[in-house]
């Protein structure tokens, strides 16, 4: 009995410090992993350290759904390294460089405060693998160190062998086609396949950090990695020989609960209408997209239609010789597609000023340094509007309360900041580009003598329901069986019933959100143009109806780059992507278009080692290279073999995360190390 009590008391003294890298997609998977461990070890204290901005996103009310059940997990803010009165230089990586320079002191001072606050010494460091300094820090505090590498095993091995690679390549580094065949587990590579930080740009803060990481990781108690056993045995063996312990604890896409994404565009029903292996899914992630000429090559004939519509939007922007005000709806997936569209127009119209307005929280996500390619768009600047939350606001717990409060604050929250921007820039607003929700833009545009272009990012059918709201309510309200009432009086809705309508159209009609949508339907016909996330011929009946309702309809979709990821499966075709793990789990071949970092290595592995994908010629999407890659993956014998191989890897991945699978066992080992 005393031994048992001793174990409990020992557990209570354990304190795990989690050090996250607050940029890109590094912090979220680390937090997900730690949440799993914290749930398994409720007596152990977990302290999560990241920047205020990063924690604000990770532990926001919308994401922080399970931490009320994890009282042993608490987050703390570390300094982001940005000086007081900081004026950005415009370099997109500057915030990362400043943060790296602030390490490790920014972590150490807050960790000391937390130790004093909790009365518990830190017994284990769980960190992003980037944090080379954790080796000395763990030794200094007599703690364990377990770093997490969130990318693939092949890129990690390249960083471990950085010195060897630089020594062997030496004077050949300027030759992109120089052969590299001396790294165990790799196919014959070219120097151009390696991340820039290994070969060329070796002296900056980021390359220095990665180099130090490769040197220090062998000192870690264990190295956890987002992979699974059998995905590449040779590389796994090599990593095992370099580390004290290697723990494959992935794929995270299978081991970590994925957020449920509303299928508001009807992707799944649409996919299910098509034959197996007949659909191509296109994604470039959240950080970067190809240049316009490559997107055009992808879109082909539909691209020419979309290009015409985009040019029409560009005309409105170019006519606006002063500035365009972009008003985003800061919830859900509304702001991102509007910003993407505006970025494209801003790139086409470099002499026109674009001012993007959203809440602080929304802008912090949209314009975070990894996503912010706007150093190439000096004519696009973002501004924060008030979110409508009262001072000392205490949430009631209702998930829609922030949206309701924001709607109540409109349009005054936008107008006051817009007035400030006009005064600051000395340029009047001559065009409003807004979310279609913003009914008030009709009067506002009229008041300031500006054009109004509204964007509806969802499907055409739902917008038609909102435009016909009054008619629908009039026709249906008196019917006894409202739920089953037919909607054949709305063009294109002959097969629909009232129960198919959004609740705001017929049922919940008095709330702020329903009122906003009702007003939107009434005011959109006043817009200079209405842009929609669809394409010509997707539904001619709807399109004809729109053309009769609006001054100008612009089909500028489909927004293929904002389609939810991880919704595809092996029955649907192939993928344009650089995320090899998602493709394995999805069971679909990959067409790679690398951009930066480890993308080229990923592409080489998928094509030359696993044989589950192809690259596009010269790494550029042209009509010819795209058609060639599509033909190979979709309709050739080689493509059939790829599918067979990738399904085998998918099988291994799923086996790894089962109860007795290798990744599941490694997670248990990970937990024991951290909490033991």
């Amino acid at each position: 009995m005393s031994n048992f009590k001793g174990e409990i008391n020992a557990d209570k003294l354990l304190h795990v410090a989690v050090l996250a890298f607050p940029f890109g997609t590094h912090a979220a998977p680390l937090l997900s992993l730690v949440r799993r461990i914290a749930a398994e070890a409720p007596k152990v204290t977990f302290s999560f350290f990241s920047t205020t901005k990063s924690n604000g996103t990770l532990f926001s009310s919308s994401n922080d759904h399970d931490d009320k059940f994890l009282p042993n997990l608490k987050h703390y803010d570390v300094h982001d390294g940005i000086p007081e009165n900081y004026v950005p230089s415009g370099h997109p990586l500057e915030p990362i460089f400043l943060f790296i320079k602030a390490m490790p002191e920014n972590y150490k001072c807050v960790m000391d405060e937390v130790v004093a606050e909790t009365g518990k010494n830190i017994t284990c460091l769980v960190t992003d693998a980037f944090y080379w300094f954790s080796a000395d820090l763990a030794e200094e505090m007599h703690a364990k160190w377990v770093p997490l590498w969130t990318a693939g095993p092949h890129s990690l091995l390249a960083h471990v062998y950085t010195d060897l690679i630089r020594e062997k390549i030496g004077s050949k580094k300027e030759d992109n086609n120089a052969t590299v065949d001396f790294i165990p587990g790799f196919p014959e590579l070219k120097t151009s396949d390696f991340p820039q930080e290994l070969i060329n740009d070796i002296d900056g803060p980021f390359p220095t950090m990665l180099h130090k990481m490769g040197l220090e990781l062998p000192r870690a108690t264990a190295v956890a990695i987002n992979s699974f056993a059998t995905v590449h045995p040779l590389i796994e063996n090599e990593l095992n020989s370099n580390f004290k312990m290697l723990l494959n604890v992935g794929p995270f896409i299978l081991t970590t609960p994925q957020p449920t994404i509303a299928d508001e565009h009807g992707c799944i029903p649409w996919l299910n209408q098509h034959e197996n292996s007949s659909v191509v899914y296109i994604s470039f992630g959240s950080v970067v997209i190809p240049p316009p000429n490559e997107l055009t090559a992808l879109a082909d004939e539909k691209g020419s239609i979309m290009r015409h519509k985009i040019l029409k939007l560009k005309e409105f922007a170019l006519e606006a010789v002063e500035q365009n005000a972009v008003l985003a709806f800061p919830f859900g997936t509304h702001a991102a597609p509007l910003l993407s569209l505006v970025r494209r127009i801003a790139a086409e119209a470099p002499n026109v000023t674009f001012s993007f307005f959203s809440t602080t929280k929304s802008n912090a996500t949209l314009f975070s340094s990894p996503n912010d390619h706007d150093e190439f768009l000096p004519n696009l600047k973002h501004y924060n509007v008030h979110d409508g939350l009262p001072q000392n606001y205490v949430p009631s717990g209702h998930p829609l309360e922030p949206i309701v409060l924001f709607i109540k604050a409109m349009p005054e929250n936008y107008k006051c900041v817009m007035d400030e921007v006009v005064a600051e820039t000395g340029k009047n607003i001559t065009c409003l580009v807004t979310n279609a929700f913003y009914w008030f833009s009709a009067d506002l545009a009229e008041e300031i003598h500006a054009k109004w272009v509204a964007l509806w990012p969802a499907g055409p059918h739902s917008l038609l329901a909102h435009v016909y709201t009054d008619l629908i309510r009039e026709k249906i309200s008196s019917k006894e069986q409202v739920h089953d009432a037919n909607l054949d009086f709305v063009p294109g809705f002959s097969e629909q019933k009232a129960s198919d309508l959004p609740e705001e159209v017929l049922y919940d009609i008095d709330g702020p959100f329903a009122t906003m949508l009702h007003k939107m339907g009434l005011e959109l016909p006043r817009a200079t143009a209405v842009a929609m996330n669809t394409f010509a011929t997707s539904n001619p009946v709807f399109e004809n109806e729109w053309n009769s309702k609006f001054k100008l309809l612009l089909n500028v979709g489909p927004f293929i780059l904002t389609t939810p990821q991880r919704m595809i499966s092996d029955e649907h075709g192939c993928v344009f992507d650089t995320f090899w793990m998602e493709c394995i789990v999805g069971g679909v071949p990959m067409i790679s278009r690398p951009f930066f970092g480890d993308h080229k290595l990923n592409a080489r592995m998928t094509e030359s080692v696993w044989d589950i994908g192809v690259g596009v010629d010269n790494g550029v999407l042209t009509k010819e290279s795209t058609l060639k890659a599509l033909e190979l993956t979709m309709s050739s014998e080689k493509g059939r073999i790829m599918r067979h191989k990738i399904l085998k890897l998918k099988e291994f991945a799923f086996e790894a995360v089962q109860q007795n699978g290798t990744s599941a066992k490694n997670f248990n080992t990970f937990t024991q190390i951290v909490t033991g």
Side-chain angles (χ1 to χ4, degrees):
M1 190 69 169
S2 58
N3 287 339
F4 180 67
K5 284 183 179 178
E7 288 175 17
I8 293 176
N9 290 332
D11 279 353
K12 286 183 177 180
L13 292 174
L14 295 174
H15 186 182
V16 180
V18 186
L19 278 53
F21 185 70
F23 301 96
T25 54
H26 283 257
L30 179 60
L31 177 58
S32 297
L33 187 67
V34 167
R35 278 177 168 152
R36 290 177 62 198
I37 302 170
E40 295 278 336
K43 303 291 185 184
V44 177
T45 298
F46 291 81
S47 298
F48 188 92
F49 299 88
S50 194
T51 60
T52 304
K53 183 177 176 181
S54 170
N55 281 336
T57 301
L58 294 169
F59 295 91
S60 65
S61 55
S62 58
N63 295 330
D64 193 10
H65 48 78
D66 53 358
D67 292 333
K68 58 188 172 185
F69 304 115
L70 296 173
N72 56 329
L73 171 61
K74 190 174 178 183
H75 64 277
Y76 300 89
D77 298 337
V78 300
H79 192 252
D80 56 13
I82 294 177
E84 198 171 357
N85 302 318
Y86 165 68
V87 178
S89 68
H91 193 294
L93 297 181
E94 187 176 49
I96 300 179
F97 295 162
L98 290 170
F99 182 79
I100 292 172
K101 286 178 182 177
M103 300 190 307
E105 293 307 319
N106 57 344
Y107 281 100
K108 289 169 75 172
C109 65
V110 182
M111 289 162 68
D112 288 343
E113 292 171 7
V114 172
V115 168
E117 172 193 315
T118 60
K120 297 179 179 181
N121 289 325
I122 291 167
T123 53
C124 183
L125 291 175
V126 177
T127 77
D128 192 289
F130 285 171
Y131 289 173
W132 81 95
F133 58 82
S134 302
D136 287 342
L137 193 57
E139 193 171 284
E140 179 186 319
M141 56 178 60
H142 307 291
K144 296 167 185 163
W145 173 35
V146 184
L148 171 69
W149 178 254
T150 57
H154 39 283
S155 56
L156 180 57
L157 188 60
H159 290 300
V160 170
Y161 276 111
T162 294
D163 284 343
L164 176 65
I165 293 169
R166 290 176 181 173
E167 178 192 333
K168 291 276 191 180
I169 290 177
S171 59
K172 300 178 186 176
K173 67 179 183 180
E174 301 302 326
D175 181 4
N176 284 335
N177 293 314
T179 300
V180 178
D181 56 4
F182 51 81
I183 305 178
F186 278 101
E188 184 175 287
L189 299 171
K190 296 177 180 176
T191 53
S192 59
D193 291 325
F194 288 103
Q196 286 293 303
E197 297 86 2
L198 258 71
I199 309 295
N200 298 311
D201 176 25
I202 66 173
D203 297 319
F206 202 71
T208 301
M209 178 178 70
L210 290 170
H211 183 208
K212 288 180 178 178
M213 174 196 75
L215 297 174
E216 297 295 345
L217 281 179
R219 295 173 61 189
T221 310
V223 177
I225 187 168
N226 178 23
S227 189
F228 58 95
T230 73
V231 71
H232 201 303
L234 291 177
I235 287 180
E236 185 176 351
N237 290 340
E238 198 62 28
L239 289 172
N240 267 317
S241 71
N242 278 277
F243 299 151
K244 292 178 182 176
M245 183 184 295
L246 176 71
L247 297 174
N248 287 300
V249 292
F252 288 162
I253 190 173
L254 296 180
T255 60
T256 304
Q258 301 298 309
T260 302
I261 302 173
D263 185 16
E264 58 188 43
H265 301 297
C267 298
I268 297 301
W270 183 85
L271 281 170
N272 290 336
Q273 292 172 12
H274 291 74
E275 294 181 7
N276 290 357
S277 305
S278 66
V279 173
V280 178
Y281 174 74
I282 304 174
S283 169
F284 300 104
S286 60
V287 176
V288 65
I289 61 173
N293 61 306
E294 294 191 45
L295 291 176
T296 300
L298 267 180
D300 196 20
E301 289 156 10
K302 284 191 174 63
S304 64
I305 299 169
M306 184 164 37
R307 196 160 56 251
H308 170 74
K309 305 298 185 181
I310 293 291
L311 289 173
K312 196 68 182 174
L313 283 177
K314 177 188 168 187
E315 284 176 25
F316 292 130
L318 289 172
E319 288 173 16
V321 293
E322 299 203 35
Q323 75 169 307
N324 294 294
V326 185
L327 278 53
F329 185 69
F331 300 96
T333 55
H334 285 260
L338 179 60
L339 177 58
S340 296
L341 187 65
V342 168
R343 277 179 168 147
R344 294 179 65 188
I345 303 169
E348 295 281 340
N351 296 321
V352 178
T353 299
F354 291 81
S355 299
F356 187 93
F357 299 87
S358 193
T359 60
T360 304
K361 182 176 177 181
S362 170
N363 280 335
T365 301
L366 295 169
F367 294 92
S368 61
S369 52
N371 298 329
D372 193 1
H373 349 285
D374 297 328
E375 76 274 17
F376 304 118
L377 297 173
N379 56 330
L380 171 60
K381 190 175 178 183
H382 63 280
Y383 299 89
N384 299 330
V385 302
H386 192 255
D387 56 12
L389 300 181
Q391 198 169 3
N392 301 320
Y393 166 66
V394 178
S396 68
H398 194 292
L400 296 182
E401 186 177 49
I403 300 178
V404 171
L405 290 171
F406 182 78
I407 292 171
K408 287 180 179 177
M410 298 192 306
E412 293 307 319
N413 57 344
Y414 283 99
K415 289 169 74 173
C416 67
V417 183
M418 289 163 67
D419 288 344
E420 292 172 6
V421 171
V422 168
E424 172 192 315
T425 61
K427 296 180 179 181
N428 289 322
I429 292 167
T430 42
C431 184
L432 292 175
V433 180
T434 78
N435 188 285
F437 285 170
Y438 290 173
W439 81 95
F440 58 81
S441 302
D443 287 342
L444 187 57
E446 194 171 282
E447 178 187 322
I448 61 178
H449 307 290
K451 301 182 180 76
W452 174 32
V453 181
L455 172 67
W456 178 254
H461 41 286
S462 56
L463 182 56
L464 192 61
H466 292 302
V467 171
Y468 274 105
T469 292
D470 282 343
L471 177 64
I472 292 170
R473 290 177 182 175
E474 176 191 333
K475 291 272 191 181
I476 289 182
S477 59
S478 60
K479 298 191 177 183
E480 291 183 9
Q481 300 296 326
V482 173
H483 214 57
D484 295 323
N486 224 309
L487 299 178
D488 51 9
F489 54 87
V490 179
F493 275 52
S494 58
E495 301 299 321
Q496 308 295 320
K497 293 183 178 179
S499 57
D500 298 322
L501 292 169
E503 287 193 1
E504 297 85 5
V505 173
L506 203 53
Y507 303 103
D508 176 23
I509 66 174
D510 297 318
F513 199 70
T515 302
M516 177 178 71
L517 291 171
H518 183 206
K519 289 179 178 177
M520 174 194 73
L522 297 175
E523 297 295 347
L524 279 180
R526 296 172 59 189
T528 310
V530 177
M532 295 184 65
N533 177 24
T534 187
F535 54 92
T537 74
S538 64
N539 195 314
V541 176
F542 284 158
E543 187 169 354
N544 291 339
E545 197 61 26
W546 291 134
N547 279 317
S548 71
K549 295 287 183 186
F550 299 149
K551 293 178 184 176
L552 180 62
L553 172 69
L554 300 173
N555 292 305
V556 293
F559 292 156
I560 52 175
L561 302 181
T562 56
T563 303
Q565 297 182 35
R566 303 187 181 98
M567 290 174 56
I568 49 170
S569 64
D570 48 49
E571 58 190 42
H572 287 129
C574 77
V575 173
F576 279 84
D577 211 329
T578 50
F579 304 110
W580 59 277
M581 186 64 79
E582 280 82 349
C583 292
I584 288 176
V585 172
V588 288
M590 181 166 75
I591 299 173
S592 301
R593 194 295 189 193
F595 290 97
F596 60 85
D598 60 2
H599 289 183
K600 290 183 178 179
L601 269 182
N602 293 343
R604 180 66 66 188
M605 297 299 290
T606 56
E607 186 169 8
S608 302
V609 176
W610 296 313
D611 196 19
I612 59 173
V614 295
V616 291
D617 291 344
N618 302 314
V620 177
L621 292 165
T622 63
K623 183 176 179 180
E624 292 72 22
S625 68
T626 302
L627 287 173
K628 179 181 174 183
L630 283 170
E631 185 176 346
L632 194 150
T633 54
M634 300 290 283
S635 55
S636 73
E637 176 62 17
K638 186 172 182 180
R640 188 190 67 77
I641 294 170
M642 281 183 196
R643 291 174 191 283
H644 176 75
K645 290 182 176 180
I646 204 167
L647 287 176
K648 198 67 183 171
L649 283 173
K650 177 181 177 179
E651 184 182 322
F652 290 148
F654 275 82
E655 286 175 358
V657 300
Q658 297 303 313
Q659 187 174 1
N660 293 314
T662 53
S663 290
K665 289 178 179 177
N666 284 334
F667 173 75
N668 292 337
T669 303
F670 186 106
T671 302
Q672 288 165 11
I673 291 170
V674 169
T675 62

